Amino acid sequence: MPTLYLLKTFSDSTFSLDVLIGEDDMTEHVDVVVAGGGPVGLMLAVELRLAGVAVTVLERRTDIDPTIKAGSLNSPTIQALYRRGMLPELEAARDENMRQFAAFAAQRSGGGGPAIPRFAGHFGGVMLDRDTIDQDDPVLVEQAHLGTLGLVSQQQFESMLERRARDLGVDVRRGVTLTGFHDTGDGVTVDTDSGTVTAGWLVGCDGGRSLVRKQAGFDFPGTAPEITAYQAMATLRGTEALEVGWHVTDTGVYAYGPHPGRILVAEFDGAPRDRTEPVTPAELQAAVRRVTGVDVGVDAITSATRFTDNARQATEYRKGRVLLAGDAAHVHSPFGGQGLNLGVGDAVNLGWKLAATVRGWAPDGLLDTYTAERHPVGEWVLDWTRAQIAIMRPDPHARAIRAVVADLASRGDGATYLATRISGVWQRYDLPGEHPLVGRSAPDLAFADGSRLADHLHDGRALLVDLRDDAGLRRSADGYADRLTVLTATADDTDLRALLVRPDGYVAWAATDAADTGPDKYLGLWLGAPVGD
């Protein structure tokens, strides 16, 4: 019997999706296929969908990966979610985690162990005391109103992103594996174990062993691994002698807490021999005992993973119609939780630029600025994690350097420097423009009507803020109504007259006095030609 087909068209005010369904095959066309439905892929999908792009996310896992991973979000990630209206969800996740932290502290105190210290992160296991950091540092003050919202697990983060993506109409397909693709020059044919999808673009967010990166032929140079490490949630006994927090020993490094049963150990004996087989209780128990010197028992494992410090970065993030983001573009050790946050930064930077390209208003070279802006940040993170590995090594030279770093971290200036780097508040892009705010994350101005700047970025559009009721300034935005919001407002505690904020929340232009050059040049640079030109 011949195969029967039905052509259906789904549409709304922003896009249409053609689906050809057969009895044993399915071919579709969408604007963008995202390979990988982890936090990076989902964040990218949210950004694309806000701009009206038809996007399909392919994820081989049927459920969110329960393996223990990142446990905190840095300032750029929190800002990105805040600007998209996700603050209540962050607060709920934070509150739940704080309850768990309090329970762990009570358990340790009742057993004679120490309470959890007030720390603000760590560098190579050297913990930073929050009370030592200069909270009046201008860079930190700028983010102070966001508080401790970074205490969110990767699973919580992924859950909220998936809910948001589905609410926006993103086509998230779990249990579907990408098997190959072909860049045709004007699009990409994507093969999966459930059929074929054709798309204008393919973005690989498929992790450190990315099939997209490998098949597209991206160069991926870097440094070889030297550690075998385990991170797990397990049922442990005999933990009374384990100290909470990070500690170095004669054989490696371990961290215990801040949840009951959470343990990390690292040994400097080369890369894991096998990263695919499940971690057994016996294997984890042996590693914990070797590193800690404590006869801890491991009765059961809730989740566990092996990892290493392989550090590599793609030399470019785009080849033709194929792009990379997250671990597909860069891998490194997870110490300090930089990887998840680095990948989210990639997604937020890429999303609006790819959407502008799909929708046809992107100025020449806009998509190339993705690599130009994000590659240096990724390069810094790789070196930051390499430096942490260097002071963790159990040799006399490394321990001598570690003592110097620990001494610096115990002092106000040193602790503040490390805190600003760990938090990510230092990040900026090298953008054209004279004002010191250009290239920085936009200040979260508090307006007289009670709103803040972030409240006006929920829709993912660029924002031109007029703080002096300047009709001439507003006229410069004529022709950009489809991609730019113009806000006339007043704000205290700022000498700014006007501000142009890109969709990703970074400042493209700013003015403080009437003699400043207007935004016309920068509107064209980032938002292309106005409608009618």
Side-chain angles (χ1 to χ4, degrees):
M1 178 180 293
T3 301
L4 301 177
Y5 296 96
L6 171 65
L7 178 65
K8 301 179 68 176
T9 300
F10 302 89
S11 64
D12 65 15
S13 61
T14 55
F15 76 100
S16 64
L17 172 63
D18 294 326
V19 183
L20 185 63
I21 304 175
E23 288 181 343
D24 50 19
D25 190 22
M26 181 173 69
T27 304
E28 304 167 60
H29 181 81
V30 295
D31 294 326
V32 179
V33 167
V34 176
V40 176
L42 291 169
M43 189 75 205
L44 176 61
V46 167
E47 294 295 291
L48 289 168
R49 190 68 196 99
L50 280 172
V53 170
V55 54
T56 292
V57 177
L58 306 177
E59 170 53 49
R60 64 178 180 80
R61 295 187 63 91
T62 56
D63 298 298
I64 292 175
D65 185 356
T67 304
I68 186 168
K69 294 182 180 179
S72 63
L73 307 179
N74 71 4
S75 288
T77 299
I78 296 169
Q79 287 176 325
L81 299 176
Y82 173 40
R83 288 165 177 159
R84 296 302 184 251
M86 299 180 68
L87 207 58
E89 293 167 279
L90 280 179
E91 290 172 338
R94 182 272 315 275
D95 292 346
E96 172 59 28
N97 292 337
M98 290 299 290
R99 283 192 289 271
Q100 293 184 29
F101 292 172
F104 180 58
Q107 178 194 69
R108 294 292 295 183
S109 178
I116 299 176
R118 281 172 46 83
F119 72 96
H122 73 91
F123 180 80
V126 175
M127 298 175 73
L128 304 181
D129 186 336
R130 189 178 301 277
D131 294 334
T132 307
I133 297 167
D134 179 9
Q135 301 297 336
D136 293 326
D137 182 274
V139 179
L140 296 176
V141 166
E142 204 169 280
Q143 311 302 325
H145 68 284
L146 293 178
T148 57
L149 291 172
L151 298 174
V152 176
S153 73
Q154 183 160 324
Q155 288 78 14
Q156 290 171 316
F157 183 37
E158 189 172 333
S159 293
M160 66 178 72
L161 283 177
E162 184 164 347
R163 286 193 298 272
R164 179 57 59 95
R166 291 186 185 277
D167 287 346
L168 289 171
V170 173
D171 179 23
V172 180
R173 300 187 185 178
R174 289 195 170 273
V176 176
T177 301
L178 182 147
T179 58
F181 61 89
H182 176 62
D183 185 345
T184 64
D186 57 0
V188 186
T189 301
V190 179
D191 298 319
T192 80
D193 58 1
S194 297
T196 299
V197 182
T198 63
W201 300 85
L202 170 65
V203 185
C205 301
D206 51 340
R209 303 174 195 178
S210 169
L211 173 64
V212 174
R213 183 189 68 238
K214 293 173 183 176
Q215 184 170 322
F218 286 88
D219 292 331
F220 201 51
T223 50
E226 57 181 284
I227 70 169
T228 293
Y230 301 86
Q231 186 168 210
M233 286 293 297
T235 302
L236 307 176
R237 51 185 162 77
T239 60
E240 293 79 14
L242 288 181
E243 296 183 66
V244 174
W246 286 83
H247 304 278
V248 296
T249 70
D250 291 340
T251 53
V253 179
Y254 81 88
Y256 179 49
H259 296 294
R262 180 170 181 172
I263 188 78
L264 179 151
V265 292
E267 298 177 271
F268 287 76
D269 56 355
R273 288 182 290 277
D274 188 348
R275 293 184 62 187
T276 60
E277 290 297 316
V279 177
T280 66
E283 179 185 3
L284 178 62
Q285 176 176 288
V288 172
R289 290 183 176 185
R290 286 194 300 269
V291 173
T292 67
V294 178
D295 288 334
V296 172
V298 179
D299 293 332
I301 290 176
T302 302
S303 73
T305 183
R306 302 178 192 86
F307 66 87
T308 188
D309 61 320
N310 181 37
R312 298 185 178 278
Q313 183 180 23
T315 54
E316 56 186 333
Y317 291 177
R318 176 192 172 191
K319 274 184 171 292
R321 292 273 177 160
V322 180
L323 300 110
L324 303 177
D327 288 351
H330 36 68
V331 296
H332 53 82
S333 77
F335 295 123
Q338 294 284 345
L340 169 65
N341 295 291
L342 178 60
V344 171
D346 293 345
V348 175
N349 186 283
L350 173 60
W352 72 276
K353 296 173 181 178
L354 183 54
T357 303
V358 169
R359 296 189 64 112
W361 58 258
D364 290 343
L366 179 65
L367 200 53
D368 293 331
T369 67
Y370 168 54
T371 296
E373 292 175 11
R374 292 304 299 173
H375 197 278
V377 181
E379 190 173 16
W380 178 88
V381 168
L382 262 67
D383 279 345
W384 183 258
T385 59
R386 289 183 181 116
Q388 292 182 75
I389 292 295
I391 69 166
M392 288 180 173
R393 293 181 185 128
D395 66 76
H397 296 86
R399 292 299 163 88
I401 298 172
R402 182 183 187 83
V404 173
V405 172
D407 184 43
L408 291 171
S410 70
R411 301 167 187 265
D413 288 348
T416 302
Y417 167 80
L418 291 171
T420 58
R421 291 301 187 267
I422 292 169
S423 69
V425 296
W426 62 272
Q427 293 180 18
R428 64 174 299 166
Y429 300 136
D430 184 14
L431 306 184
E434 302 299 324
H435 197 280
L437 280 179
V438 170
R440 290 184 55 193
S441 181
D444 193 30
L445 300 175
F447 300 123
D449 65 0
S451 68
R452 301 192 73 112
L453 186 138
D455 298 324
H456 301 276
L457 292 170
H458 290 186
D459 58 6
R461 292 156 55 92
L463 179 67
L464 179 62
V465 183
D466 171 16
L467 294 167
R468 295 293 185 271
D469 196 10
D470 185 340
L473 174 72
R474 295 194 296 274
R475 280 195 297 272
S476 67
D478 289 347
Y480 289 102
D482 62 330
R483 68 203 78 156
L484 174 69
T485 299
V486 179
L487 172 68
T488 300
T490 58
D492 295 329
D493 300 325
T494 181
D495 59 355
L496 288 170
R497 292 182 59 84
L499 193 67
L500 175 62
V501 183
R502 303 191 319 186
D504 60 357
Y506 282 77
V507 177
W509 168 82
T512 55
D513 60 60
D516 285 326
T517 304
D520 304 69
K521 170 184 173 182
Y522 300 97
L523 286 166
L525 179 66
W526 296 111
L527 302 183
V531 174
D533 278 19

